[in-house]
Amino acid sequence: MPGLQRTVTVAATPERVWAVLTDVERWPERIPTVESLRKLDDGPLAVGSRARIKQPKLAEAVLTVTELTGGRSFTWESRSSGVTVTAGHVVEPHAGGSRLTLALTLGGPMSWLGWLMTRSTITRYVETEAASIKQVAETA
């Protein structure tokens, strides 16, 4: 499965990083790679929660939370045209603050084509998202 992972250290508590990370409806104002994101369910993120996201150069997608460990990690995925995109988000304690890891994989019969077409954009987006979350968490 094609994919990538980006880890950054954050000079903020894991609780603070988690709060920024899971406040997904504020991503458009905090993360320049997200044009819009709207939760489709009420309440905090939970397994089964869905959100509609639009990012520049990428098709609009509906993300569904498939795994969640409160205060630590969540994974969501979207499916379309033979490609499943899985995005993992992990916050861990680290000396002086936290470690944030963002991972993205593509699966399905057309994943190789999706990866070929979007690899550079996705790589840049994941790096920007990690840096943006770090900046917001450290600025509070």
Side-chain angles (χ1 to χ4, degrees):
M1 245 191 272
L4 61 96
Q5 179 174 299
R6 175 75 169 129
T7 300
V8 295
T9 55
V10 184
T13 65
E15 295 79 16
R16 172 67 185 150
V17 177
W18 180 254
V20 171
L21 181 64
T22 57
D23 190 1
V24 297
E25 290 187 300
R26 292 191 66 193
W27 284 13
E29 67 189 70
R30 294 174 164 173
I31 303 173
T33 60
V34 179
E35 288 180 353
S36 65
L37 191 150
R38 184 174 55 89
K39 285 179 61 187
L40 302 175
D41 310 289
D42 292 330
L45 283 182
V47 171
S49 294
R50 296 173 310 125
R52 183 175 307 279
I53 189 170
K54 177 65 182 119
Q55 296 182 272
K57 301 182 184 182
L58 299 175
E60 186 174 84
V62 173
L63 303 164
T64 303
V65 176
T66 57
E67 298 176 25
L68 187 137
T69 302
R72 173 149 167 69
S73 67
F74 78 92
T75 301
W76 54 16
E77 63 182 41
S78 68
R79 299 172 187 265
S80 69
S81 305
V83 177
T84 300
V85 178
T86 304
H89 312 75
V90 179
V91 178
E92 302 170 290
H94 185 70
S98 308
R99 180 173 38 234
L100 170 66
T101 301
L102 304 180
L104 190 129
T105 58
L106 276 67
M110 299 301 290
S111 62
W112 64 274
L113 181 59
W115 185 246
L116 182 66
M117 293 172 51
T118 62
R119 183 183 74 214
S120 64
T121 299
I122 289 173
T123 299
R124 190 172 55 255
Y125 285 9
V126 170
E127 290 172 356
T128 299
E129 290 160 11
S132 297
I133 293 166
K134 170 184 170 72
Q135 180 182 12
V136 171
E138 290 178 344
T139 305

